[in-house]
Amino acid sequence: MASTAQGTAATAPTNDEVRARIVDAADALYYARGIQSVGMDEVRSAASVSLKRLYSEFPGKEQLVLAVLASRHRQWEAGLAQAAAGLEDPRARLLAVFDFLEQWFGNDAFRGCGFINAFGELSATSPAVAEAARAHKQSFQEYVARLAQELGGDPELGAQLALLAEGAQTTAAIAGRPDAAVHARRAAEVLIDAALARR
């Protein structure tokens, strides 16, 4: 009997696993249908947890939304890092941003940028969500600026390339055209070449 109890305890999910399951379930629902249209009870059902457990992890919906955005930010950074992995040429690392976008846009579940979506829905009523979206975008702009600097470009090049990437996300989401990343990449190549020619 003791060994059975130990085996059960060993397979019980940890608090971190339960929390991650809740965040993943909420993320899928919010991204597919919008944040405001999804209630906590739907998240509870999708995550297969009790309502009591859900609220013990996330006392309110805003806390859950912020956890979803934090998870998305980590996934975004991991995706960019993976796209640039093994690339030693600074130009190739810059263009890998757009290759990453192309892969993302081609996913059947793509519904645009989760941060832009959350900002559009909640920025007027949740300063914390608005700040999370701004921080994510600022982080991306700084990442592109660093890559542009490594290539020898000026700060304006980084800003231009970040805007291209942001515009591609919006275009792909609204028009349903994954080739927005391809067009943005070609435009990025022109900007990079022009910037380097001015050195």
Side-chain angles (χ1 to χ4, degrees), residues 72-73 76 113 115 131-140:
R72 279 201 163 258
H73 179 71
W76 171 262
C113 172
F115 289 86
E131 180 54 34
R134 291 189 187 102
H136 170 76
K137 295 302 182 183
Q138 181 64 33
S139 173
F140 176 60

Side-chain angles (χ1 to χ4, degrees), residues 111-191:
R111 298 289 181 274
C113 172
F115 289 86
I116 292 175
N117 298 347
F119 187 88
E121 281 197 76
L122 300 176
S123 63
T125 57
S126 174
V129 169
E131 180 54 34
R134 291 189 187 102
H136 170 76
K137 295 302 182 183
Q138 181 64 33
S139 173
F140 176 60
Q141 290 163 13
E142 291 170 357
Y143 173 76
V144 176
R146 283 195 303 272
L147 293 179
Q149 186 176 23
E150 289 172 9
L151 183 61
D154 56 25
E156 185 176 3
L157 175 62
Q160 290 170 339
L161 296 176
L163 281 173
L164 267 179
E166 294 292 353
Q169 291 177 60
T170 303
T171 299
I174 294 174
R177 296 188 55 179
D179 62 351
V182 175
H183 297 314
R185 190 187 197 280
R186 290 174 183 156
E189 291 183 278
V190 172
L191 288 172

Side-chain angles (χ1 to χ4, degrees), residues 53-127:
R53 182 61 186 271
L54 175 60
Y55 279 109
S56 73
E57 295 290 340
F58 302 101
K61 188 171 183 177
E62 183 179 64
Q63 289 94 329
L64 179 53
V65 172
L66 291 172
V68 166
L69 293 179
S71 175
R72 279 201 163 258
H73 179 71
R74 290 190 297 270
Q75 292 173 43
W76 171 262
E77 291 198 321
L80 288 174
Q82 184 177 6
L87 300 176
E88 296 183 6
D89 178 35
R91 178 190 173 95
R93 286 199 297 273
L94 256 178
L95 294 174
V97 169
F98 299 93
D99 296 335
F100 167 65
L101 293 180
E102 183 182 6
Q103 183 179 17
W104 181 32
F105 296 169
N107 188 309
D108 289 340
F110 176 71
R111 298 289 181 274
C113 172
F115 289 86
I116 292 175
N117 298 347
F119 187 88
E121 281 197 76
L122 300 176
S123 63
T125 57
S126 174

Side-chain angles (χ1 to χ4, degrees), residues 9 14-15 25 48 51 70 91 98 125 187 194:
T14 65
N15 288 343
S48 299
L51 207 54
R91 178 190 173 95
F98 299 93
T125 57

